Amino acid sequence: MGGVALARPLYFWLGTLATVAGVVLHLPMYLHSAEMGYRLAGMPMDLPMTIGMVLIVAGLVVTAWGLVPPGAFTARPAAEVRVRALDDQKMRPAHIGLVVVMSVAVVIDAMKPITLGFVSPGMVAEYGLKSPLNPGGDVPVALLPLFGLTGTVLGSLLWGWLGDKIGRKPSILYAGVLFIGTAICGVMPSFEGNLAMCLAMGLGAGGMLPIAFSLLAETIPPRHKGWVMVLIGGNLAIAYLLASFLSATLAPEYSWRVLWLVGLPTGVFLILLNRFIPESPRFLLAHGRDAEAHAIMARYGAALTSGSGVERVQDEHEGGYSRLFRAPFTGLTVAVVILGLSIGLVTYGFQLWIPSNLRSLGLDQSAADRALADSTLLGLPLIFISAAMYGLWSAKKTIVVLSALVGAALVVLSFSGETLAQDRTWLYLLLAGPIVGTAAIAAVLAAYSSEIYPTRVRSRGSGLSAGVGKFGGVAVTGVLVAGAAAPSIGMTALLGAVPLVLAVIAVLVFGVEPAKGPAGAPAGTAAAQA
């Protein structure tokens, strides 16, 4: 696969086949429920489902054994090896191919948590859960995103560790198998079963974007890396478009459950896609696989940063994350934190509940989902515009412009969202901002935070920007689980608008422009002062 051999191919494929077979054994119960509108709530698990569950668990264990290379946990740490793309390299066909493939992988990955918002209305109706559509319910449907988001937080930590231990490709492969296994969420009779599968799904989805950016950092020429990262991160909007399209076209006929079952074909496709994804040269060198590493570096125009190929990262852990809040980074970090929190609040506050809130405004399921698909399609060019603005104009100004546009749209929605169902044109335009604009801001922030800090604290800076976004999501879903309020469209819009306005002010005051030095390394204000 892509010139990099699996550790134990036979075990990997046997485990994958067992997992696929386990999911397939769940399908008869789903198909037999067609006469009941695919309602499975309260039904006992039959024998094929029980056998399928055993096969999935066994398959995941065997697959993991097939992917872990011998000596993976005793080899020299990959952090000791430094690899980067050469500054004077042009974008080669290999680079373009990698961008396309990683974009598809990110879309498949991002569809999993995005689907939470689209399955919620159907789950509320089937399980009688508490939501904007059913304020009198007992168990809050917000538990579903809370479990999923918790899974992504844990997955970010797990996959970051696995990526260094077993490699980037095996980590992505295992995420694909996990996506296949958790497709049975669409056949779970109980809400509790859905929560467990949602947590497992989050574990698989949490680490894809960091792994993708790690590969890009070693293969994409530095002068192109910023806009490429924005473009790939912006595929979250395409994932939203596909999720809303599938919900509009399939869910009315096959129920909300089919949106989870698509994890089977997309997981298989993600596994097949790995054929075209290179392993990290940094990982290969750290594990003594020099020939494979040099072949990949030659293909992508990358090189070692020293003649020996190994250098220690000095001062990498001095002060922990607290170092980011001390001079000269204090103001800059405050801006990053506020912006990250605002992204989390919009994504898991406004975006997550907008399918339910549109139905509360009188739109049926198909009309609501198509409205979201059309709005996303309308705003999709913003991703490409954002990438061009970041690469050709100004990173700081791109953040300010995007945040201001999304903040303005949310302010309008917070005061007039309840009446916009009668004016579809304005509704579509205003929804495009929070849906596509937030994806663009998240992508820009990921690239920006990886460039504005000096090398010795850059990993912490990138981790902080990603972590606070998820913390914002945990906070807002925690409030909803506690039953503080039913998340109306006006409330969720205002909840995202306020921090975005504050983020604009913070970036204007404290933000720096990540100018590029001769070696392609960031030379922004904070980095220069450090």
Side-chain angles (χ1 to χ4, degrees):
M1 281 195 176
V4 179
L6 294 174
R8 302 174 183 88
L10 178 61
Y11 287 97
F12 168 75
W13 289 114
L14 285 176
T16 300
L17 289 175
T19 304
V20 171
V23 175
V24 171
L25 285 173
H26 282 71
L27 297 182
M29 187 170 182
Y30 168 76
L31 296 175
H32 292 158
S33 67
E35 297 178 353
M36 301 179 292
Y38 299 99
R39 294 177 65 92
L40 298 174
M43 296 184 64
M45 293 180 63
D46 58 15
L47 181 60
M49 287 181 69
T50 303
I51 296 173
M53 189 72 74
V54 173
L55 281 175
I56 291 171
V57 174
L60 290 173
V61 173
V62 174
T63 299
W65 175 247
L67 290 173
V68 176
F73 301 100
T74 59
R76 184 180 70 231
E80 297 180 7
V81 180
R82 306 300 301 278
V83 177
R84 66 173 175 82
L86 298 176
D87 302 321
D88 57 353
Q89 289 291 317
K90 296 180 179 180
M91 290 288 284
R92 301 178 178 183
H95 294 130
I96 301 298
L98 179 60
V99 170
V100 172
V101 171
M102 292 309 300
S103 295
V104 175
V106 168
V107 168
I108 292 173
D109 175 76
M111 284 177 64
K112 311 305 175 184
I114 287 173
T115 300
L116 292 170
F118 292 96
V119 301
S120 292
M123 295 183 78
V124 167
E126 184 164 344
Y127 296 115
L129 306 173
K130 181 179 181 180
S131 86
L133 296 173
N134 185 30
D138 294 326
V139 179
V141 72
L143 280 171
L144 188 72
L146 183 62
F147 271 66
L149 184 57
T150 300
T152 62
V153 173
L154 297 175
S156 296
L157 301 174
L158 175 63
W159 253 245
W161 177 75
L162 278 178
D164 279 340
K165 291 296 183 181
I166 70 173
R168 311 294 193 259
K169 283 176 68 73
S171 297
I172 297 175
L173 281 169
Y174 198 67
V177 178
L178 200 53
F179 289 164
I180 294 172
T182 54
I184 62 171
C185 196
V187 198
M188 285 292 104
S190 67
F191 181 58
E192 292 77 13
N194 276 277
L195 294 180
M197 290 297 102
C198 195
L199 179 67
M201 176 274 296
L203 286 173
M208 181 68 73
L209 206 57
I211 290 176
F213 284 170
S214 295
L215 282 173
L216 294 173
E218 296 179 43
T219 54
I220 300 297
R223 59 178 174 167
H224 298 291
K225 187 174 69 174
W227 68 262
V228 167
M229 289 175 69
V230 173
L231 196 61
I232 290 182
N235 281 295
L236 298 176
I238 296 179
Y240 197 95
L241 174 64
L242 290 177
S244 57
F245 174 77
L246 289 173
S247 183
T249 55
L250 297 180
E253 180 70 22
Y254 302 103
S255 88
W256 60 271
R257 294 181 177 276
V258 75
L259 300 179
W260 287 133
L261 293 175
V262 296
L264 173 59
T266 55
V268 171
F269 185 62
L270 182 58
I271 291 172
L272 298 177
L273 202 62
N274 261 265
R275 179 181 182 85
F276 307 100
I277 300 176
E279 181 52 88
S280 161
R282 180 169 172 256
F283 170 83
L284 294 172
L285 287 169
H287 289 76
R289 298 160 66 178
D290 293 5
E292 294 171 281
H294 286 290
I296 292 173
M297 287 190 289
R299 183 182 181 192
Y300 291 94
L304 302 172
T305 57
S306 66
S308 65
V310 179
E311 66 174 17
R312 295 264 179 193
V313 181
Q314 301 296 328
D315 195 31
E316 186 67 22
H317 301 288
E318 180 184 337
Y321 280 94
S322 64
R323 180 69 184 90
L324 300 175
F325 293 90
R326 299 201 298 267
F329 311 116
T330 308
L332 184 61
T333 300
V334 168
V336 168
V337 167
I338 295 175
L339 188 58
L341 282 173
S342 66
I343 292 171
L345 290 173
V346 176
T347 302
Y348 298 101
F350 183 84
Q351 278 190 23
L352 184 65
W353 298 107
I354 193 62
S356 297
N357 281 324
L358 288 181
R359 294 183 66 179
S360 297
L361 297 180
L363 280 69
D364 60 30
Q365 178 179 349
S366 181
D369 292 341
R370 289 191 182 279
L372 293 173
D374 291 344
S375 297
T376 307
L377 191 61
L378 183 65
L380 208 55
L382 186 60
I383 297 297
F384 303 97
I385 294 172
S386 300
M389 289 169 62
Y390 189 95
L392 301 176
W393 181 43
S394 162
K396 177 181 175 180
K397 293 177 182 176
T398 299
I399 292 176
V400 171
V401 170
L402 290 175
S403 301
L405 285 174
V406 176
L410 287 170
V411 168
V412 175
L413 284 167
S414 66
F415 290 103
S416 59
E418 305 291 342
T419 63
L420 284 173
Q422 309 304 321
D423 191 337
R424 298 292 177 86
T425 301
W426 275 108
L427 179 64
Y428 289 8
L429 284 172
L430 290 171
L431 287 177
I435 295 173
V436 181
T438 305
I441 296 171
V444 168
L445 179 60
Y448 185 69
S449 60
S450 72
E451 293 187 306
I452 54 176
Y453 293 104
T455 302
R456 61 194 175 94
V457 294
R458 188 170 300 153
S459 294
R460 278 169 279 175
S462 298
L464 181 68
S465 69
V468 293
K470 292 173 181 176
F471 177 78
V474 170
V476 70
T477 51
V479 169
L480 297 176
V481 167
S488 67
I489 187 172
M491 186 192 78
T492 55
L494 188 61
L495 194 63
V498 172
L500 268 178
V501 172
L502 294 176
V504 170
I505 298 172
V507 173
L508 282 172
V509 175
F510 301 116
V512 299
E513 193 62 45
K516 299 292 183 180
T525 302
Q529 292 175 8

